[in-house]
Amino acid sequence: MLHDRGAVLSAGFLLLIVVMALGAPALAAITGHGPDEFDPSAINTDLGGLPKGALGGISAEHWFGVEPGNGRDILARIAYGARVSILIALSATFLTTLLGVVLGMLAGFFRGWIDQGISRFMDFLMAFPALIFMIAILSSLPSGNRSVLLVVVISVFGWPYLARVIRGQTMTLVNREFVEAARASGASTAALVFREILPNLRNSLIVMTTLAVPGYIGTEAGLSFLGVGVAPPTPSWGQMISSSVGWYAVDPMYFAIPGVFLFLTVLSLTVLGDRVRAAIDSGEAS
């Protein structure tokens, strides 16, 4: 993968985003502007709050410009928004993977009524139009810790897709010769699951989790854009894009900067996930 230009560029951009997210407080200290700090001197009140200067107020003091109407620093909000997006996406991916692997392996290994119960529950969840029900559920819940609520709701609707794949692969592996040999030698159920079956699911899990992260980043941004995700004043890329709707014509940079960061992050994760899948398939073929 080091010889793949797309993978290297994607990994480099993702490293930049991670550094920005982890170093958001230090970045705010260097620039002198926090994510919620208003700067009235950076906007022109006579023009309805438009940023002073060209390109949305980009200057040596505000590297990515400021938000119209309040003068908040866009760079600081991009960095703190990256923390929110990455944390929610990784947490949802972890919880989805945990539920999908555990329930998928239970259904595939034990079969019978356990398989029937888990499979019907998966069918039930997959029958819902996920985005519509996410919006409905989040709209009806109190605006407490929205990040935790987002992780839970995304995971509830996300795990069945992984579980179905794990179930099918587990059912295939259970009948393989090396599992039958381990069972004949007196291996316990735990040994069969953790030593024989789970290691053989590793490649599929790597591919599916790698491709799940960009999807969850996009889902969080979409829900925040619709006003049911991360609530102000917590920064979010989707929330920033939503706030820029009324300023498209007069300050396009307010929309363009968070939009470009969101697009490149999702694209980089997707490309990197695809390259990982290709590398794993190549390794298995060889």
Side-chain angles (χ1 to χ4, degrees):
M1 290 180 62
L2 292 176
H3 300 286
D4 189 312
R5 182 178 298 178
V8 172
L9 290 175
S10 298
F13 181 78
L14 292 174
L15 179 61
L16 172 64
I17 294 298
V18 170
V19 170
M20 285 180 62
L22 295 176
L27 186 62
I30 292 171
T31 60
H33 301 285
D36 301 317
E37 180 183 332
F38 292 1
D39 185 6
S41 64
I43 58 175
N44 192 332
T45 54
D46 294 333
L47 295 177
L50 280 176
K52 293 180 179 178
L55 300 176
I58 293 178
S59 64
E61 186 176 359
H62 298 283
W63 300 350
F64 284 178
V66 298
E67 290 185 347
N70 53 47
R72 291 186 297 193
D73 187 74
I74 291 180
L75 174 59
R77 293 185 65 77
I78 287 289
Y80 278 89
R83 296 181 116 192
V84 173
S85 295
I86 292 173
L87 181 61
I88 290 175
L90 292 180
S91 300
T93 301
F94 173 78
L95 186 55
T96 300
T97 303
L98 181 63
L99 291 171
V101 170
V102 171
L103 295 176
M105 290 186 67
L106 283 174
F109 187 85
F110 290 105
R111 311 278 185 94
W113 65 269
I114 295 178
D115 182 23
Q116 288 297 317
I118 294 175
S119 296
R120 298 296 76 78
F121 187 47
M122 288 192 291
D123 293 339
F124 174 76
L125 290 176
M126 293 173 71
F128 286 102
L131 182 59
I132 295 175
F133 276 85
M134 285 182 192
I135 295 171
I137 291 171
L138 289 168
S139 298
S140 63
L141 293 174
S143 57
N145 194 332
R146 301 300 291 186
S147 297
V148 175
L149 292 176
L150 278 169
V151 170
V152 172
V153 171
I154 291 172
S155 300
V156 165
F157 288 98
W159 71 265
Y161 299 93
L162 174 62
R164 175 156 292 192
V165 174
I166 296 300
R167 170 183 174 271
Q169 292 192 348
T170 301
M171 292 175 69
T172 301
L173 290 170
V174 164
N175 297 320
R176 296 285 294 273
E177 293 80 1
F178 62 90
V179 176
E180 293 293 343
R183 183 181 285 115
S185 65
S188 63
T189 300
L192 292 175
V193 169
F194 291 105
R195 294 181 183 176
E196 306 297 336
I197 296 177
L198 187 58
N200 286 281
L201 298 174
R202 180 185 61 229
N203 290 347
S204 297
L205 288 175
I206 291 173
V207 171
M208 295 193 70
T209 53
T210 305
L211 294 174
V213 176
Y216 293 149
I217 288 180
T219 300
E220 180 275 321
L223 292 171
S224 297
F225 178 88
L226 295 171
V228 296
V230 177
T234 304
S236 165
W237 292 348
Q239 181 193 112
M240 293 176 69
I241 295 172
S242 176
S243 300
S244 70
V245 168
W247 301 90
Y248 283 157
V250 292
D251 185 12
M253 294 301 292
Y254 183 26
F255 161 77
I257 292 175
V260 166
F261 269 91
L262 177 60
F263 168 75
L264 290 179
T265 300
V266 173
L267 177 65
S268 297
L269 284 165
T270 303
V271 169
L272 195 60
D274 183 67
R275 297 300 192 272
V276 169
R277 179 193 57 77
I280 288 175
D281 291 344
S282 176
E284 289 178 344
S286 62

